[in-house]
Amino acid sequence: MDELEVFVTVVEGQGFSAAAKRLETTPAAVSRRVKALEERLGVRLLQRTTRKIQLTEAGDLYFREVSRLLGDLKAVEQQLEAVTLQPTGDLRIVAPMSFGQRRLAPVVARFAAMHPKLRVTLKLEDRETDIVSEGFDLAIRIAYPSDSSLVARAIRTVPRYFCASPEYLARRGAPRTPRDLLQHHCLHYNVISEREEWTFGGPKGDETLVIKAAFCCNNGEVLAEAAMHGLGITLLPDFIIEDALSDGRLVRVLEGRERSPLVLSVLYPSRRHVPVKTRSFIDYAVEQL
């Protein structure tokens, strides 16, 4: 863990805790590295308070120059990497939990096996990770297109279906219209939206209905399991429920009223100076997925 890299990461992350998370170490270790750098240079670079850090005049000058030098060094390393066309170094990927387990894991494993000089880290979590501040090279996301500053490359669409268990439908009846859901138990995925509402497609455009969720969770696998146990009706991506639909554990309802599909995309910070490791994985993931 180089002192210059640590210092720049602290400034970019606006604190020791954020830098420690990005560098996969402890805030105490980060603080020691910055203090050692200041002692070596004989100048204070950061003013520390209980809430934030602030650059001194010397620190501001040092940060600008070091950032430029590190950027130049990274560009040279990428050029050398491009000459060999061999992905090397660390590749950090973040992806949704269920999709990562069901679809992405074998793709990442095969890619890692193809490139033994590459150290791959795959982190699975159901939240919108800030890949720049947290030090990821790219993210796999399933969502509607947004105005993110990140570069997005679409891979495929991801349909979502309303479904419930045969036992639940036998007990409560199948909804014929979206408004019928007001009389049903709904199982809500609360990562895309904390608000308990579902949007439906129709001849007059999208229609949003405020539901009363009987059960909420930030993981689709849990909601699918709850639906298969007869807890209610849920709305989930095809890759989570395709097996259960195929063998009859779940049954689709309100067919044709689903909103337009989500989009599976790979996101990365910039079109300029994309490292070979990142570009190679993106191309491979698009091909495989």
Side-chain angles (χ1 to χ4, degrees):
M1 190 168 56
D2 182 82
E3 289 176 351
L4 300 184
E5 181 187 3
V6 171
F7 170 68
V8 170
T9 306
V10 168
V11 177
E12 290 177 343
Q14 290 294 303
F16 294 104
S17 295
K21 187 174 182 180
R22 180 171 173 179
L23 295 169
E24 297 183 332
T25 186
T26 64
V30 170
S31 180
R32 284 196 299 271
R33 285 300 182 114
V34 173
K35 185 176 181 181
L37 177 62
E38 290 176 325
E39 290 176 350
R40 182 167 61 82
L41 296 174
V43 64
R44 180 174 287 277
L45 301 173
L46 298 173
Q47 296 288 0
R48 302 158 175 81
T49 69
T50 55
R51 293 190 175 182
K52 63 179 181 179
I53 57 100
Q54 186 172 350
L55 286 166
T56 63
E57 183 177 355
D60 182 62
L61 173 63
Y62 193 69
F63 172 71
R64 285 188 280 111
E65 290 301 316
V66 168
S67 296
R68 179 181 61 80
L69 291 171
L70 290 178
D72 291 344
L73 178 61
K74 186 174 183 179
V76 171
E77 290 175 347
Q78 289 173 2
Q79 290 172 16
L80 292 174
E81 187 180 327
V83 170
T84 64
L85 296 179
Q86 177 64 41
T88 60
D90 290 343
L91 179 66
R92 289 173 48 79
I93 305 164
V94 62
M97 183 71 69
S98 296
F99 185 81
Q101 293 172 323
R102 286 176 171 261
R103 293 288 186 271
L104 188 61
V107 174
V108 173
R110 290 194 297 268
F111 184 80
M114 291 163 54
H115 302 289
K117 293 184 178 180
L118 195 64
R119 179 178 181 267
V120 180
T121 298
L122 174 61
K123 185 173 185 180
L124 303 180
E125 56 185 16
D126 289 333
R127 70 180 180 92
E128 191 168 318
T129 310
D130 184 338
I131 68 173
V132 175
S133 67
E134 297 185 36
F136 289 96
D137 296 288
L138 59 96
I140 302 292
R141 287 191 185 152
I142 301 174
Y144 292 109
S146 68
D147 296 328
S148 169
S149 61
L150 300 172
V151 179
R153 182 173 172 182
I155 299 176
R156 71 172 180 90
T157 57
V158 180
R160 291 189 297 169
Y161 301 130
F162 296 100
C163 58
S165 70
E167 293 78 13
Y168 175 85
L169 296 176
R171 188 170 71 248
R172 300 292 302 271
R176 296 180 178 272
T177 69
R179 294 199 64 81
D180 290 344
L181 290 174
L182 297 177
Q183 309 304 319
H184 283 269
H185 293 161
C186 298
L187 316 179
H188 180 56
Y189 180 68
N190 59 4
V191 170
I192 292 179
S193 174
E194 285 283 351
R195 292 175 296 186
E196 295 180 8
E197 58 185 35
W198 286 349
T199 300
F200 303 82
K204 298 181 179 179
D206 288 343
E207 170 191 354
T208 297
L209 178 71
V210 178
I211 60 172
K212 185 176 181 180
F215 182 63
C216 296
C217 187
N218 67 341
N219 182 268
E221 303 283 351
V222 174
L223 291 172
E225 193 68 29
M228 286 186 281
H229 279 78
L231 198 59
I233 298 172
T234 191
L235 171 63
L236 291 173
D238 60 349
F239 62 86
I240 292 180
I241 56 176
E242 59 188 3
D243 291 341
L245 290 174
S246 178
D247 62 24
R249 286 174 294 163
L250 290 175
V251 177
R252 286 179 62 184
V253 297
L254 295 172
E255 292 190 52
R257 296 304 306 271
E258 297 90 353
R259 190 179 175 185
S260 56
L262 300 172
V263 179
L264 172 68
S265 302
V266 56
L267 285 77
Y268 54 102
S270 173
R271 293 186 189 277
R272 296 184 59 196
H273 306 304
V274 180
V276 168
K277 62 182 180 182
T278 305
R279 186 171 62 251
S280 297
F281 179 79
I282 290 172
D283 290 343
Y284 185 73
V286 170
E287 173 192 316
Q288 294 293 308
L289 296 172

